[in-house]
Amino acid sequence: MKNIALASALTLGSGLSNFTTSFQTMFFHDGIMDIVFQEDFTPLELNRLPVAVLEAVDKTYGEENIVNVYYNELKEYKIEFRLDRELQTVYTDENGHWITK
């Protein structure tokens, strides 16, 4: 039991040291602490969007409906668009394949 408490304390300590460098969410599940890293998306200008991504969005939703575009270091793209007066979000990889998040 002492080993579990020590492991939890070490995990908590290492998690807190990483907290300053990236945004994380910590939660406990069955007595075990889990850390979920938030995916950081950076704003991107529409004209810098890869052609495959732009074609996929244009074909499905229409390029004129795009409101905001973001990307992350995994080359995934978050696209916000307005459809029927509602703001909706979709995700795609750099090849224009849809991703569920």
Side-chain angles (χ1 to χ4, degrees), residues 4-6 22-24 28 30 34 38 50 52 59-60 62 64 69 71 77 84-85 89 100-101:
I4 292 174
L6 180 59
S22 67
F23 182 71
Q24 302 172 4
F28 288 89
D30 295 334
D34 293 324
Q38 301 296 321
K59 180 179 177 183
T60 307
E64 67 277 0
V69 178
Y71 74 101
Y77 295 86
D84 297 328
R85 297 183 184 186
T89 304
T100 53
K101 294 242 178 210

Side-chain angles (χ1 to χ4, degrees), residues 37-87:
F37 292 91
Q38 301 296 321
E39 296 180 32
D40 293 327
F41 281 91
T42 306
L44 182 69
E45 294 178 24
L46 184 60
N47 62 354
R48 303 206 57 203
L49 200 60
V51 174
V53 174
L54 188 57
E55 287 176 350
V57 172
D58 186 37
K59 180 179 177 183
T60 307
Y61 302 105
E63 181 181 343
E64 67 277 0
N65 295 319
I66 296 175
V67 176
N68 295 312
V69 178
Y70 306 90
Y71 74 101
N72 65 14
E73 61 188 34
L74 300 174
K75 296 184 180 178
E76 297 173 333
Y77 295 86
K78 174 181 174 181
I79 300 142
E80 296 176 339
F81 61 94
R82 192 163 304 282
L83 195 61
D84 297 328
R85 297 183 184 186
E86 284 189 38
L87 189 64

